[in-house]
Amino acid sequence: MESEDVASAPSTPMTPGTSGAALFGGFKPESSHTGNKRSPSLLKSCKCFSVETWAVEEGTLPTVSCALPSVSCALPPPPVSLSRKVGAEFIGTFILIFAGTATAIVNQKTQGTETLIGLAASTGLAVMIVILSTGHISGAHLNPAITIAFAALKHFPWRNVPVYMGAQVLASLCAAFALKGIFHPIMGGGVTVPSGGNLQAFALEFIISFNLMFVVTAVATDTRAVGELAGIAVGATVMLNILIAGETTGASMNPVRTLGPAIAANNFKAIWIYLTAPILGTLAGAGVYSAVKLPEKDGNAHDKPSAAHSFRR
């Protein structure tokens, strides 16, 4: 909370049990009273609460409720520092790249026993658990293309884009070289390379990245979407995209999913496709959803609180 807002803010309950702190802040007691004039009740002086008359003869307590729907009586969540966000982004991206690449390597090592369904499930589950565990800290972008698209939509500050992208690239390299040390010399299966023509691969990567960002924009930026299910929705979209394009392109959808394993395995075949198509596809998906979504109703903006989201904006 900014310092200039403190003086004008309504009474806000402090953390109970804090040493030397009153239960309710912002209350100014009367300096003195004379005669039969009684000082106002402590709870009545708190503007956020409405209190019924004390019924002493019945031995009942007053009902305390928040009277104004536009006034929040709950303490705001503490701000998250940029270093914590970057740390969470690094860990989340590491888990995603390690899981998706390791499954592909194991599939090659065991001569296809994982199958395409197993590859899709592994990466989709990794996306889901990372969003649910770190989405409230860093936003769980896990993908430079998604970070750029969020910044283009003004849902993420441009000044933080290089830091997030640096954490994502570093996490990809760490995961790839860790897998190289574990599974050496079998590493080729973890690299995403096109099995057909470059134009076909570019089109597929563009479309599946479009699909991914369309869903991400819906669940992460639209207040009417079911934000609590963001992890499930995005994970299911990743699984669907891998089932569509996994056999043809490896279904990267993420420049760092390709970059780290490519450097570790020294295989840069058609890498330009995986560095450009996902970025263009996510920008298109974010723009299209922003164009087709229903407009916000100003009249109902204060009638009900915004839904909680799994992503921080």
Side-chain angles (χ1 to χ4, degrees):
M1 184 176 296
E2 297 295 335
S3 58
E4 60 268 22
D5 295 335
V6 173
S8 61
S11 302
T12 305
M14 301 177 66
T15 304
T18 303
S19 176
L23 180 61
F24 298 98
F27 170 68
K28 296 181 180 180
E30 296 291 335
S31 59
S32 63
H33 61 276
T34 58
N36 295 329
K37 184 179 179 181
R38 302 176 63 186
S39 60
S41 170
L42 175 63
L43 289 176
K44 285 185 177 180
S45 65
C46 181
K47 297 179 181 180
C48 180
F49 292 91
S50 63
V51 186
E52 294 180 357
T53 305
W54 291 90
V56 180
E57 64 277 3
E58 297 179 3
T60 58
L61 293 176
T63 302
V64 180
S65 61
C66 191
L68 299 178
S70 61
V71 177
S72 175
C73 296
L75 288 173
V80 182
S81 64
L82 180 60
S83 60
R84 292 180 184 272
K85 293 179 181 179
V86 173
E89 190 69 13
F90 173 86
I91 295 172
T93 307
F94 180 91
I95 294 173
L96 172 62
I97 302 301
F98 189 91
T101 308
T103 307
I105 294 173
V106 171
N107 187 58
Q108 180 194 28
K109 185 177 181 180
T110 58
Q111 299 179 353
T113 57
E114 294 281 349
T115 73
L116 182 61
I117 296 177
L119 295 173
S122 173
T123 306
L125 288 173
V127 169
M128 182 185 70
I129 63 175
V130 170
I131 289 176
L132 294 177
S133 59
T134 66
H136 59 288
I137 301 174
S138 66
H141 296 181
L142 316 177
N143 186 335
I146 290 179
T147 300
I148 293 173
F150 272 142
L153 288 178
K154 299 182 180 179
H155 290 295
F156 188 75
W158 278 106
R159 65 179 181 275
N160 292 345
V161 170
V163 183
Y164 262 54
M165 292 179 63
Q168 292 156 357
V169 171
L170 182 60
S172 174
L173 291 172
C174 290
F177 278 97
L179 288 169
K180 183 175 182 179
I182 295 171
F183 292 103
H184 185 76
I186 300 175
M187 182 65 190
V191 182
T192 54
V193 292
S195 61
N198 288 348
L199 182 60
Q200 180 190 40
F202 185 93
L204 278 174
E205 283 294 322
F206 179 91
I207 293 172
I208 62 177
S209 299
F210 175 95
N211 297 343
L212 175 63
M213 194 61 200
F214 188 88
V215 175
V216 168
T217 307
V219 298
T221 67
D222 198 330
T223 57
R224 290 153 299 190
V226 185
E228 293 82 356
L229 301 180
I232 299 175
V234 178
T237 305
V238 170
M239 292 178 64
L240 175 64
N241 286 339
I242 293 177
L243 291 175
I244 294 172
E247 289 287 350
T248 306
T249 68
S252 174
M253 300 169 277
N254 187 342
V256 299
R257 167 61 182 89
T258 298
L259 182 62
I263 294 175
N266 195 28
N267 184 351
F268 301 97
K269 179 182 178 182
I271 193 172
W272 66 271
I273 295 175
Y274 301 96
L275 298 181
T276 57
I279 295 176
L280 296 176
T282 53
L283 287 172
V288 169
Y289 184 85
S290 299
V292 302
K293 73 176 182 179
L294 295 174
E296 297 283 352
K297 294 183 179 180
D298 296 335
N300 296 335
H302 300 292
D303 291 341
K304 60 181 180 178
S306 299
H309 302 293
S310 293
F311 294 94
R312 290 177 65 93
R313 284 183 251 169

